[in-house]
Amino acid sequence: MIQTVTLTIDGVPVKAAKGASVLDAALEVGICIPHLCHVPFLQDTGACRICIVENVKNGSSRVTTSCTLTVQEGMNIQTNSEKIRKLRRNLAELLVAQAPNSKAIQDIAVRCGVKEVRYPFRNENCVQCGRCVRYCTEMWKANALGFVGRGKNRRVEFPFATRPDFCKNCGSCTLYCPMSITPCGGPMKRGEEHLCGKCESQAVTAPNIIGACTRCELGKGFSCTRHML
Amino acid sequence: MRKFNHSSDLEGFRQELLEERKDITSTIIIPNGTCCQAANSLAVIKAILQEIARQGVDKNVQVHLTGCHGFCEQEPMILFEPGNIIYCRVTPEDAREIVGRTVKGSEVIERLLYTDPVSGKTARTEAEIPFYQAQDRQLLQHNKWVDPRSIKDYIAIGGYRALVKTLDSISPKTVVEEVRSSGLRGRGGGGFSTGRKWAEARSAPSDEKYVICNADEGDPGAYMDRCLLESNPHLIIEGMMIGAWAVGAQKGYIYVRNEYPLAVQHARLAVKQARDIGLLGENILGSSFSFDVEVARGGGAFVCGESTALMTSLEGKVGEPRPKDIHTVKEGLWNRPSVLNNVETWANIPSIIMNGSGWFASKGTKGSKGTKIFALTGQVKNTGLVEISMGTTLHDIVFNIGGGQKNGKAIKAVQTGGPSGGCLPLSKFDLPVDFDSLYEAGSMMGSGGMVVMDEGTCMVDVAKYFLKFLQDESCGKCVPCRIGVDRMLEIVTDITEGRGTREQITLLEELSETVAETSLCGLGKTAPNPVLSTMRYFADEYFAHVDEKRCPAGVCKALISYDILDEKCNGCGVCLRACPHGAIKGEKKKVHAIEPQLCLKCGICITECKFDAIAVG
Ligand SMILES: Cc1cc2nc3c(=O)[nH]c(=O)nc-3n(C[C@H](O)[C@H](O)[C@H](O)COP(=O)(O)O)c2cc1C
Ligand code: SF4
Ligand code: SF4
Ligand code: FES
């Protein structure tokens, strides 16, 4: 039998399988924690930080990513506090300023309540979520992709920058890439980037209700876990 | 060399060594660490040895090559014991006279003595030098007596006695208790209680555990760890052995950055020597304790000093941090319980065991015990490594040990804690230096970098420098650090180049909070500190840049211009010849002028003009 633990998420007691992540436990019961780099069945690395929650313990709270946090008996998690909403919004703003040409990122920005972008747009074509790398490495054991470089210069690359013959051409990397679908209005040219914001009506952004998953369309663009299950 | 099978063997060996050395009448001590070598100590040593061979000295005079003694600025130095006579800034040409007059004739050569730049007095002995007087050199004092390449030296001064004491009579549990009650806190930056860390690792169930020494030391300007490891490697190994005994580890690693070749070399040699005489390996000194150490070289990425990145790197993978929801004392290297401590933390262990936790706890402040080594640099007269009792004030360090301002510009701030730390203004100089008070004031103890800044330093520029460093050194894995720090740098660059706005300052504050709260590892979490602390204490400088487009310190090139003052210029033409960009025009004996379009603001003309006729505005 599966062993379970009980924890509280946003005030609601939730049962979860022992060893599950807080993110999975929340999604399972329909609480939406926005996420980007998490893909079910792949190792979580905590790269995008969008899935942050507050872990409240003895009166003080710690901000941490829910995809890397394992459920524990009696845990008290806040996914939608004012603090989390603000931090998440700022993170999503950083992301969308970096890569506005992605429906997934634009969707996440909307979901996280980004109303304006206070940085000059950069229009890059990778957000380094590492989905492609992990899928290739863990699912297919192909190791055809990896990260090279550090900091600003970090990027996804084939070994020695050429497609190796052990790449199985399966296409998973593009399938799971949040950058592969452009915003509905088509690709934005340099200098014309903007916050799309079209799907706002569908997003669960009202602060007073719990961030319940409504199976919104937002997740489709980047394969939100709930759309994949 | 023979192998020891019993703990009494070591004491016997020490007695033999002391007997062997009892006839030595005098010792010529020449520091030869990395910093000393950079100051040409190798040539001095060669010259001294040649002179000794040529002139011939008593066979009981011994030449002793040691690690650095901390007063790096005065190197190469030579010390004579007994007598404690010290010569500073020695050149190879002095060798002949030194051997002839001091070694053979016991005469002091006045011109090689140290002159205190503050009082102008000369000091004959090390003990008379103000730089040393205000220090409490518990760890650094050994450097003088130990040739890092000689395990005999270390044993002769009482080395490995703490280990013997531990194996003979202290249970692992008591060792942990002792370290805990000493109040020792990690010297690598976080200041976590070492005893608590050990207790957790000890209670973690596993048949295999590790102890690791963090000698990655990536903070710009900091080199205490290098000095300790390179000058006294056995001290670190002894500390690690005691720790391993306490937590039940069989294997230890010293992770040292590859840019420290001498430290790598000395650590490797020390491990080999300890193995050869049975201090490392199976059943050490006939006990049930088996332990070995491996020296691993790191590629020198700053982030590899972070605990999880360091362990990932030790496992042979790319050194990127991983989420730390489970602590490394439970699941660290190869998912086994691992105790990671800083070099200086390990170095403190043997003396805590030898002298007791009470002795250690008697030094320092309520929350921070013992001593701490700082690398004092920047705009002070005396620079080098200083070891002080916790609780010494910043003022004492900067003015008494450091000797105060160097270039006639008033001191205005001190930066502690490296890229994770912050800048404290003069008004905070009476703060006692300890973990908690520095943290409360918005800075950090960090690993021990201490940079003194004067009126010629622009605090916005300082913030920019650290952001640039962090942006380069971020591993790039997580969004807040990779993108957030980069955006912070973008904003601060805008401010220094005159494009800054008030809104950007607000945004900078908000972004700082986000980066600090949401980053994956300590690098990102502390990255905003240099910005936040300068904004807190030097807000007026930020506003001067933003509102008035003015850099008060005259550093930010986009906001300054160079002008020749008509009343002071006598037309000598030195600046005209000195300017590499041909930006200065003028006829001989007539007032010169700077062409703003051509001037690249390099500042060469200012240093060349003898009449202070060039002003920065
Ligand atoms: C970005 C980063 C760099 C670090 N670099 C070092 C370092 O160079 N040396 C060090 O001892 N600790 C460093 N640390 C701290 C270590 O993570 C760790 O806390 C420390 O080695 C633990 O030892 P201690 O308890 O003895 O201080 C660094 C931490 C971070 C976040
Ligand atoms: S290529 Fe796509 S999937 Fe891969 S890291 Fe970049 S954004 Fe993520
Ligand atoms: S905070 Fe910076 S250094 Fe740490 S994991 Fe994130 S990107 Fe890497
Ligand atoms: S989904 Fe958790 S950090 Fe990206």
Side-chain angles (χ1 to χ4, degrees):
Chain A
M1 216 185 78
I2 300 175
Q3 285 184 312
T4 58
V5 296
T6 307
L7 68 159
T8 316
I9 304 182
D10 294 337
V12 184
V14 170
K15 263 200 167 56
K18 201 171 172 186
S21 70
V22 169
L23 178 63
D24 282 338
L27 292 172
E28 187 76 28
V29 297
I31 296 173
C32 166
I33 301 176
H35 52 274
L36 169 61
C37 66
H38 168 75
V39 180
F41 321 118
L42 295 187
Q43 186 120 39
D44 283 307
T45 53
C48 75
R49 319 303 289 171
I50 290 289
C51 70
I52 45 169
V53 294
E54 274 187 89
N55 184 3
V56 189
K57 210 171 168 181
N58 306 328
S60 68
S61 86
R62 233 175 61 110
V63 174
T64 173
T65 44
S66 57
C67 65
T68 60
L69 186 65
T70 311
V71 290
Q72 260 159 30
E73 190 61 42
M75 233 178 195
N76 181 3
I77 301 293
Q78 294 284 342
T79 74
N80 204 27
S81 63
E82 199 169 319
K83 180 172 181 182
I84 289 295
R85 280 203 304 275
K86 179 176 168 195
L87 294 175
R88 211 184 259 154
R89 188 176 65 233
N90 285 345
L91 286 174
E93 183 185 353
L94 285 173
L95 273 176
V96 76
Q98 204 78 1
N101 246 330
S102 147
K103 180 168 187 314
I105 304 294
Q106 292 277 1
D107 285 355
I108 284 180
V110 170
R111 167 64 186 87
C112 298
V114 178
K115 294 272 189 287
E116 55 161 345
V117 175
R118 293 166 289 178
Y119 311 100
F121 281 99
R122 282 192 180 148
N123 213 340
E124 285 180 4
N125 52 23
C126 170
V127 288
Q128 309 208 10
C129 61
R131 284 169 155 233
C132 53
V133 174
R134 277 176 294 142
Y135 214 93
C136 183
T137 314
E138 291 175 32
M139 221 35 134
W140 305 131
K141 305 272 184 284
N143 290 315
L145 282 178
F147 279 110
V148 295
R150 188 170 74 200
K152 256 182 99 164
N153 302 322
R154 188 175 187 257
R155 62 192 187 281
V156 175
E157 194 76 91
F158 289 123
F160 306 106
T162 37
R163 181 190 291 273
D165 50 12
F166 47 82
C167 164
K168 302 177 182 30
N169 273 318
C170 69
S172 300
C173 46
T174 25
L175 190 61
Y176 286 93
C177 177
M179 299 300 300
S180 53
I181 302 176
T182 58
C184 313
M188 300 173 182
K189 290 206 194 68
R190 250 170 224 290
E192 293 175 6
E193 302 93 340
H194 56 93
L195 193 64
C196 151
K198 289 233 171 66
C199 308
E200 204 151 352
S201 56
Q202 301 186 34
V204 188
T205 47
N208 52 347
I209 57 163
I210 296 171
C213 168
T214 57
R215 291 207 169 249
C216 65
E217 291 298 301
L218 295 184
K220 279 201 179 157
F222 65 101
S223 315
C224 161
T225 307
R226 286 221 108 203
H227 282 275
M228 295 172 68
L229 287 174
Chain B
M1 217 157 22
R2 63 171 185 259
K3 246 186 155 99
F4 301 130
N5 296 317
H6 193 268
S7 54
S8 60
D9 292 355
L10 194 76
E11 191 51 39
F13 185 53
R14 182 189 344 277
Q15 294 309 331
E16 277 169 41
L17 285 175
L18 293 180
E19 182 62 28
E20 211 174 89
R21 296 176 177 199
K22 77 175 187 323
D23 291 331
I24 291 174
T25 48
S26 61
T27 312
I28 309 168
I29 300 168
I30 315 180
N32 191 28
T34 302
C35 37
C36 320
Q37 292 186 3
N40 208 16
S41 66
L42 286 172
V44 171
I45 292 165
K46 192 167 157 223
I48 294 273
L49 292 178
Q50 271 171 359
E51 279 305 316
I52 287 179
R54 201 177 61 83
Q55 301 186 22
V57 298
D58 191 282
K59 71 176 183 354
N60 288 325
V61 172
Q62 180 199 26
V63 178
H64 203 63
L65 304 186
T66 70
C68 163
H69 295 192
F71 205 177
C72 306
E73 189 203 44
Q74 293 293 328
E75 271 151 11
M77 300 194 288
I78 302 188
L79 252 130
F80 302 91
E81 291 287 356
N84 200 231
I85 306 295
I86 184 166
Y87 289 164
C88 297
R89 296 199 177 151
V90 178
T91 62
E93 291 72 47
D94 298 326
R96 177 186 202 138
E97 204 180 343
I98 292 175
V99 173
R101 287 174 60 191
T102 310
V103 179
K104 302 186 75 169
S106 303
E107 197 184 324
V108 173
I109 305 169
E110 291 288 331
R111 90 187 145 78
L112 292 175
L113 292 176
Y114 173 75
T115 311
D116 180 26
V118 182
S119 64
K121 284 200 209 128
T122 47
R124 284 165 67 92
T125 66
E126 200 182 31
E128 284 170 32
I129 298 179
F131 175 80
Y132 288 115
Q133 276 169 350
Q135 299 191 39
D136 184 3
R137 297 164 66 86
Q138 294 299 329
L139 298 173
L140 292 176
Q141 63 172 354
H142 305 301
N143 289 6
K144 190 160 113 183
W145 300 110
V146 177
D147 179 338
R149 295 160 307 168
S150 157
I151 192 171
K152 287 184 179 176
D153 278 3
Y154 185 66
I155 293 176
I157 62 159
Y160 289 113
R161 261 161 77 188
L163 175 75
V164 169
K165 183 174 169 187
T166 310
L167 295 183
D168 275 356
S169 60
I170 317 182
S171 73
K173 189 157 170 270
T174 320
V175 174
V176 173
E177 265 320 303
E178 194 69 6
V179 172
R180 194 209 291 253
S181 53
S182 74
L184 174 65
R185 291 170 70 173
R187 303 301 198 229
F192 193 78
S193 156
T194 307
R196 257 177 62 199
K197 192 187 270 184
W198 289 18
E200 276 183 47
R202 196 181 125 64
S203 66
S206 174
D207 49 354
E208 231 176 300
K209 301 182 187 177
Y210 301 102
V211 291
I212 307 167
C213 170
N214 189 343
D216 191 55
E217 194 164 56
D219 291 17
Y223 58 104
M224 335 22 88
D225 295 347
R226 189 200 74 210
C227 176
L228 279 173
L229 189 59
E230 160 185 304
S231 314
N232 202 355
H234 288 286
L235 180 68
I236 315 298
I237 294 173
E238 186 178 4
M240 290 176 72
M241 293 173 79
I242 296 169
W245 163 258
V247 304
Q250 299 81 31
K251 183 86 202 257
Y253 290 90
I254 300 179
Y255 186 90
V256 47
R257 57 186 302 169
N258 209 17
E259 286 90 336
Y260 286 176
L262 211 56
V264 175
Q265 193 189 332
H266 289 176
R268 290 214 160 128
L269 184 65
V271 168
K272 182 176 177 306
Q273 289 170 340
R275 232 179 249 154
D276 286 347
I277 64 168
L279 283 170
L280 286 175
E282 301 283 316
N283 300 92
I284 293 167
L285 298 176
S287 71
S288 61
F289 176 54
S290 301
F291 178 68
D292 207 347
V293 171
E294 197 176 303
V295 178
R297 284 177 303 171
F302 175 63
V303 71
C304 283
E306 196 273 341
S307 51
T308 56
L310 186 148
M311 290 177 199
T312 317
S313 163
L314 267 181
E315 289 169 9
K317 305 185 197 125
V318 178
E320 285 183 1
R322 51 187 189 221
K324 223 175 15 176
D325 294 301
I326 301 173
H327 291 296
T328 49
V329 285
K330 301 270 184 233
E331 284 183 22
L333 188 58
W334 289 298
N335 290 327
R336 301 267 161 61
S338 311
V339 169
L340 173 73
N341 278 123
N342 171 256
V343 174
E344 201 181 332
T345 315
W346 291 118
N348 273 302
I349 301 295
S351 53
I352 292 179
I353 297 298
M354 272 329 274
N355 306 328
S357 54
W359 166 82
F360 188 80
S362 70
K363 287 182 192 298
T365 61
K366 187 159 166 285
S368 310
K369 303 297 184 190
T371 60
K372 173 83 192 89
I373 308 176
F374 287 94
L376 184 65
T377 52
Q379 305 303 323
V380 276
K381 292 202 181 75
N382 309 324
T383 57
L385 288 181
V386 305
E387 181 175 353
I388 46 138
S389 236
M390 292 274 192
T392 309
T393 61
L394 282 171
H395 186 278
D396 277 344
I397 299 175
V398 173
F399 292 95
N400 296 350
I401 299 175
Q405 64 185 54
K406 187 161 80 175
N407 293 329
K409 287 187 180 148
I411 288 172
K412 76 169 173 192
V414 51
Q415 208 281 348
T416 66
S420 315
C423 297
L424 299 175
L426 196 61
S427 62
K428 293 275 172 195
F429 273 27
D430 45 5
L431 269 186
V433 171
D434 72 8
F435 286 105
D436 308 311
S437 58
L438 288 183
Y439 183 77
E440 273 157 35
S443 184
M444 236 173 76
M445 177 80 88
S447 55
M450 194 176 269
V451 187
V452 181
M453 297 164 177
D454 65 16
E455 293 293 344
T457 316
C458 167
M459 300 316 275
V460 187
D461 188 58
V462 168
K464 183 165 102 179
Y465 167 82
F466 282 112
L467 284 173
K468 180 85 186 74
F469 175 85
L470 288 161
Q471 179 224 35
D472 283 343
E473 293 295 331
S474 154
C475 81
K477 179 170 172 174
C478 73
V479 168
C481 177
R482 183 185 70 248
I483 308 182
V485 170
D486 191 33
R487 291 293 188 179
M488 289 175 74
L489 178 63
E490 186 175 78
I491 296 173
V492 172
T493 307
D494 276 354
I495 295 177
T496 57
E497 291 179 1
R499 296 184 298 269
T501 60
R502 284 266 176 163
E503 291 76 52
Q504 277 185 312
I505 293 194
T506 322
L507 179 58
L508 190 58
E509 266 167 335
E510 193 178 326
L511 184 55
S512 295
E513 188 203 343
T514 305
V515 173
E517 286 275 5
T518 62
S519 287
L520 191 159
C521 84
L523 188 148
K525 282 184 199 301
T526 55
N529 283 355
V531 170
L532 288 174
S533 65
T534 47
M535 287 217 275
R536 174 164 162 192
Y537 293 115
F538 301 94
D540 49 339
E541 291 196 26
Y542 279 83
F543 292 135
H545 283 77
V546 170
D547 299 341
E548 302 163 37
K549 309 290 176 217
R550 182 174 68 83
C551 174
V555 172
C556 297
K557 286 196 178 159
L559 303 181
I560 55 172
S561 60
Y562 285 81
D563 272 313
I564 296 183
L565 302 172
D566 292 1
E567 64 278 13
K568 286 200 176 164
C569 173
N570 69 0
C572 70
V574 165
C575 57
L576 185 148
R577 285 189 295 276
C579 177
H581 314 295
I584 301 182
K585 304 269 172 317
E587 288 170 36
K588 228 173 167 54
K589 299 262 158 43
K590 293 220 175 99
V591 171
H592 285 46
I594 298 178
E595 198 84 49
Q597 277 84 19
L598 293 176
C599 172
L600 292 187
K601 299 164 188 176
C602 64
I604 289 177
C605 53
I606 292 211
T607 46
E608 291 298 317
C609 178
K610 304 278 178 300
F611 307 97
D612 288 335
I614 298 172
V616 195

